[in-house]
Amino acid sequence: MLDFKKEDIATILVRYNVAMEKALTPDEAAEQLYPKDALFKAVAKAIYEGEEDDVIEALDACLKSGKDPIKLIDEALLPGMAVVSNLYDQGIIFLPNVMMSADAMLEGIDYCKTKTKEVPKSKGTIVCHVAEGDVHDIGKNIVAALLRADGFSVVDLGRDVPVDEVVAAAAKEKPVMITGTALMTTTMYAFKEVNDKLVEKGLKIPFACGGGAVNQEFVESYSLGVYGEEASEAAKFANYILKNGADIGKMRNEFHYH
Ligand code: B12
């Protein structure tokens, strides 16, 4: 029997409170994560809802208020996708939501690019791909979109790309950098094969790798590998190479995580 005189009633109430928090609806949980700025929030909310038309409408409102179209990618579109990833990781929303949101975000990135006044001269070519055997291309699409937004020409080889195709594209395009994405522990070893064949052909091109399956230790186990956690880092790597040259050791020091 509870003796209400002895028990601290506040702790009992806190417990109920926790139960209530867990019972948040997905919309309520998203509401807590949106950017504070009302204009950016509208973009993020439209991404969460997977509504492409609303993303464009919200972006238009941002542009009308004088926001820079390319900065909007970092300020509104990626934070919107981060809300979706966060809720997915917590098991609050499900895969179809993630995919609809990713499409809406990519549409938004394309739209922002059409709104820049200056058409920048290409800074250089980057070859992007998803590892052989792996169909997970959402992350790669974000990487490619952000590289394009930053002024690079992207040769997007797609997903489940045979090792030899990556090497052939590298030989043909002589890119500033190659990117690889792998989300499965069974497919990430294709990166080592790509690396070894590139080295064999004397193509010492930085090979930026990311995706849920890989980590820094794995990527740095092959000579050209530079690990990236977030899609936005790909453009930082490429800009670094343009400025400082393709020194893999220096890049690993500059972009170290732990
Ligand atoms: C979406 C999804 C699918 C979709 C893919 C749709 C698509 N077009 O991509 C579908 C339904 C098709 C699918 C299929 C399968 N899937 Co799946 N899938 C996922 C899921 C839920 C989300 C992946 C995702 O898109 N994440 C969001 C993106 C944005 O993340 P990302 O790619 O990692 O990219 C981010 C960073 O890593 C970084 N990044 C990525 N690349 C690069 C590159 C560079 C250079 C840099 C700097 C950064 C960078 O940028 C992004 C963010 O900023 C994951 C679970 C999870 N939690 O990851 C499982 C998951 C990846 N799938 C899994 C599996 C097993 C499968 C299937 C084999 C299932 C089956 N039995 O059929 C098949 C695979 C078939 C195949 N041969 O590939 C497993 C893999 C397990 C493992 N460790 O090997 C996972 C982890 C689920 C699980 N927990 O078991 N899947």
Side-chain angles (χ1 to χ4, degrees), residues 88-89 95 98-99 133-140 142-143 159 179-186 208-213 227-234 237:
Y88 178 80
D89 286 343
L95 185 58
V98 177
M99 294 177 70
D134 202 322
V135 302
H136 298 90
D137 64 358
I138 299 176
K140 184 269 295 167
I142 301 174
V143 167
R159 55 193 188 177
T179 78
T181 298
L183 272 88
M184 300 203 305
T185 41
T186 46
C209 298
Y227 174 66
E229 218 154 66
E230 293 297 326
S232 55
E233 273 149 324
F237 294 170

Side-chain angles (χ1 to χ4, degrees), residues 206-248:
F207 183 19
C209 298
V214 299
N215 58 26
Q216 182 149 16
E217 194 188 357
F218 174 74
V219 172
E220 293 189 357
S221 71
Y222 40 92
S223 58
L224 302 172
V226 182
Y227 174 66
E229 218 154 66
E230 293 297 326
S232 55
E233 273 149 324
K236 289 185 194 150
F237 294 170
N239 285 315
Y240 181 90
I241 297 166
L242 293 184
K243 200 167 163 219
N244 305 289
D247 184 323
I248 311 286

Side-chain angles (χ1 to χ4, degrees), residues 97-169:
N97 309 87
V98 177
M99 294 177 70
M100 282 171 67
S101 295
D103 284 348
M105 184 212 49
L106 291 170
E107 184 92 1
I109 291 180
D110 282 345
Y111 186 70
C112 285
K113 276 160 51 190
T114 65
K115 294 291 166 187
T116 44
K117 287 196 188 77
E118 56 232 71
V119 183
K121 193 172 151 275
S122 169
K123 290 181 178 173
T125 301
I126 310 226
V127 169
C128 298
H129 84 288
V130 177
E132 182 164 359
D134 202 322
V135 302
H136 298 90
D137 64 358
I138 299 176
K140 184 269 295 167
N141 291 342
I142 301 174
V143 167
L146 294 180
L147 283 167
R148 287 190 176 115
D150 205 79
F152 291 91
S153 305
V154 171
V155 176
D156 185 347
L157 301 177
R159 55 193 188 177
D160 182 13
V161 186
V163 167
D164 288 335
E165 204 179 301
V166 182
V167 178

Side-chain angles (χ1 to χ4, degrees), residues 73-84:
I73 297 176
D74 263 346
E75 290 169 342
L77 290 162
L78 289 180
M81 196 62 207
V83 170
V84 175

